Amino acid sequence: MMSGDSQQKVMGPGVSSDLPKLLGQENFALWARRAKAVLKARGVWESVITDQVGMANDQVVGILISSLADQVLDLISEEDSASKLWAELNSLYAA
């Protein structure tokens, strides 16, 4: 059993879903790179670029929403589409 800081949610072989919290524009570029890498490694990035629905879309939305700081989550619309959520975050925070 793991405890404390050594605890990690593993989503696939060696792929963690733990992303740093997106705080806003100040860390968006690095957060987006990490999020994209995690989603690609999980094999669900296609849901972001093709607006696919289904289990992969739901996984992406869950991963992204869980990595948003409360103040960011308050600013975005309640979105069930991974591609629309990604686009909204980009429009808010990409430089």
Side-chain angles (χ1 to χ4, degrees):
M1 180 174 225
M2 300 174 114
S3 64
D5 291 334
S6 62
Q7 211 170 34
Q8 189 178 57
K9 294 177 218 160
V10 176
M11 304 293 288
V15 180
S16 170
S17 69
D18 291 336
L19 288 170
K21 291 290 185 185
L22 173 59
L23 305 173
Q25 192 169 12
E26 64 266 19
N27 76 329
F28 178 76
L30 288 175
W31 174 88
R33 286 175 58 194
R34 286 185 181 113
K36 184 175 180 180
V38 166
L39 297 175
K40 281 185 167 191
R42 293 274 299 130
V44 294
W45 176 248
E46 282 294 308
S47 293
V48 174
I49 58 176
T50 63
D51 203 18
Q52 295 175 353
V53 295
M55 195 164 95
N57 178 78
D58 295 345
Q59 288 177 358
V60 172
V61 171
I63 290 168
L64 295 180
I65 292 291
S66 68
S67 71
L68 303 180
D70 290 345
Q71 68 270 20
V72 174
L73 189 55
D74 282 343
L75 293 176
I76 63 168
S77 59
E78 191 168 328
E79 192 56 71
D80 292 331
S81 164
S83 66
K84 290 177 183 171
L85 176 58
W86 188 265
E88 186 171 2
L89 292 170
N90 270 282
S91 70
L92 286 170
Y93 299 117

